[in-house]
Amino acid sequence: MNNHPVSVKNKVILLTGAFGLIGKQISKAFLQQGAKVVLADVNTAAIPAIQKEFEHYGKENFIAIELDITNEESAANAVTTTVTAFGKLDVLINNAAIDAKFDKSGMSKVNQSRFENYPIDLLRKSVDVNLTGTVIMTQAACKQMLQQGFGNIINVASTYSIVSPNQNLYDFGEGIKNFKPIDYIASKSFIPNFTRYIATFYSKNNIRCNAIVPHGILNDHDESFLHNFSKMSPLGRMCNREELDAPFLFLASDGSSYMTGSVLMVDGGWTAW
Ligand SMILES: NC(=O)c1ccc[n+]([C@@H]2O[C@H](COP(=O)([O-])OP(=O)(O)OC[C@H]3O[C@@H](n4cnc5c(N)ncnc54)[C@H](O)[C@@H]3O)[C@@H](O)[C@H]2O)c1
């Protein structure tokens, strides 16, 4: 008999950054598989639209709440709200982050100052959210997980937590004019080692912690970006968002019960050469 099924049925998932590209996708996957989901995000303006979009999953199966992971009180409230609504917290997914996007709508917003001139304020802001905010949220969840005697944490990393960006990806025929800035790399590099820190710190407390490394989720990228990406990716293409579902479901399920402190690459082989 398999006591460790790849199932998330009735698991209670608290997901940060839930209103973004990956957050919405995996929330739907969890709900389709019978989990209870707390969609938490700082973007409160989006709550009515989220409620409408998720309505058909049943109001008893999800809630959409305000959360600012940089604020300790807000993080503690998100955990309390989760436990009040669903009785426990099985899985925290640290997904919220500031990330300069290179799809059509995001590119114009990316600060393209070269490294030597990159505004330190933007670095501080990303560190505040992507690094400090992840710690704050994890502290709040661990208090609850220690009290209930079990827990599972999934940190969302990036290939840029592992390797440097190849800035040629952002060269659209004008030399290195566009590039991935340092704030993202600095703040996300912390995630794999933080994952190992939490995994080993709580290894005797029935709390697991793993990281997942998505890469290049297809959105509304233009042809030159797609062309560059496909040349550099071993699989020769970007990731369809639904290709993240199974890896997240697996890490959240008891099927991954012997995994802790690991970094699961879902990057089409990007870091393999
Ligand atoms: N999209 C990709 O190609 C890709 C690739 C690798 C890794 N990632 C990682 O995946 C995660 C999600 O990325 P995404 O593409 O969905 O980004 P996104 O920008 O679409 O969503 C991020 C969400 O986080 C929220 N957020 C920002 N600051 C917050 C705060 N202080 N408190 C709570 N919520 C906050 C935003 O409001 C937003 O809804 C990030 O950790 C990112 O680094 C994304």
Side-chain angles (χ1 to χ4, degrees):
M1 196 174 103
N2 182 4
N3 293 320
H4 303 280
V6 184
S7 163
V8 294
K9 196 163 170 47
N10 293 324
K11 292 233 183 251
V12 178
I13 319 274
L14 170 55
L15 173 62
T16 75
F19 304 168
L21 178 65
I22 291 177
K24 278 209 291 183
Q25 174 64 32
I26 60 172
S27 296
K28 290 173 185 171
F30 279 118
L31 286 162
Q32 280 157 10
Q33 297 300 319
K36 311 284 182 195
V37 181
V38 178
L39 296 106
D41 202 292
V42 76
N43 181 13
T44 47
I47 288 180
I50 291 285
Q51 262 154 355
K52 200 159 185 355
E53 188 175 340
F54 280 74
E55 203 168 44
H56 65 283
Y57 292 109
K59 286 201 166 124
E60 66 286 8
N61 295 320
F62 78 92
I63 48 174
I65 64 166
E66 175 177 9
L67 164 69
D68 179 356
I69 59 168
T70 67
N71 180 300
E72 290 171 76
E73 201 184 329
S74 180
N77 282 343
V79 172
T80 307
T81 306
T82 302
V83 177
T84 305
F86 298 118
K88 58 178 179 164
L89 170 59
D90 289 299
V91 186
L92 166 69
I93 305 181
N94 282 315
N95 171 67
I98 293 177
D99 178 7
K101 289 263 173 55
F102 282 83
D103 52 28
K104 282 181 205 150
S105 55
M107 249 189 84
S108 59
K109 298 177 204 144
V110 180
N111 186 303
Q112 294 290 245
S113 310
R114 286 179 56 89
F115 171 75
E116 62 271 22
N117 300 318
Y118 197 72
I120 291 302
D121 278 356
L122 293 182
L123 173 72
R124 289 204 173 99
K125 200 167 172 228
S126 290
V127 169
D128 193 33
V129 175
N130 302 1
L131 189 160
T132 313
T134 301
V135 172
I136 289 172
M137 192 62 240
T138 306
Q139 284 182 317
C142 284
K143 285 178 190 151
Q144 170 61 28
M145 289 173 174
L146 281 173
Q147 201 182 316
Q148 67 190 19
F150 57 87
N152 182 0
I153 297 161
I154 303 170
N155 295 321
V156 182
S158 159
T159 49
Y160 302 152
S161 307
I162 314 285
V163 295
S164 170
N166 181 341
Q167 302 290 9
N168 295 314
L169 174 61
Y170 310 101
D171 177 355
F172 307 122
E174 305 153 316
I176 295 190
K177 239 176 134 184
N178 303 290
F179 42 85
K180 194 80 177 178
I182 186 61
D183 60 328
Y184 189 68
I185 283 73
S187 55
K188 296 297 275 193
S189 299
F190 148 84
I191 298 288
N193 225 15
F194 177 59
T195 300
R196 292 184 274 266
Y197 182 93
I198 295 298
T200 50
F201 197 97
Y202 292 113
S203 57
K204 302 287 187 293
N205 299 105
N206 200 23
I207 298 172
R208 300 193 287 124
C209 181
N210 294 289
I212 192 164
V213 175
H215 184 58
I217 311 306
L218 183 61
N219 199 16
D220 62 340
H221 296 86
D222 70 21
E223 278 309 314
S224 42
F225 186 90
L226 293 173
H227 175 76
N228 286 354
F229 194 101
S230 61
K231 277 197 303 188
M232 292 175 195
S233 162
L235 285 190
R237 63 174 176 86
M238 295 190 77
C239 178
N240 296 313
R241 59 189 80 179
E242 62 274 12
E243 290 178 295
L244 291 176
D245 294 353
F248 272 99
L249 292 168
F250 169 62
L251 285 182
S253 78
D254 295 343
S256 59
S257 56
Y258 199 58
M259 286 176 73
T260 197
S262 77
V263 178
L264 184 63
M265 311 302 293
V266 190
D267 67 347
W270 190 269
T271 54
W273 61 14

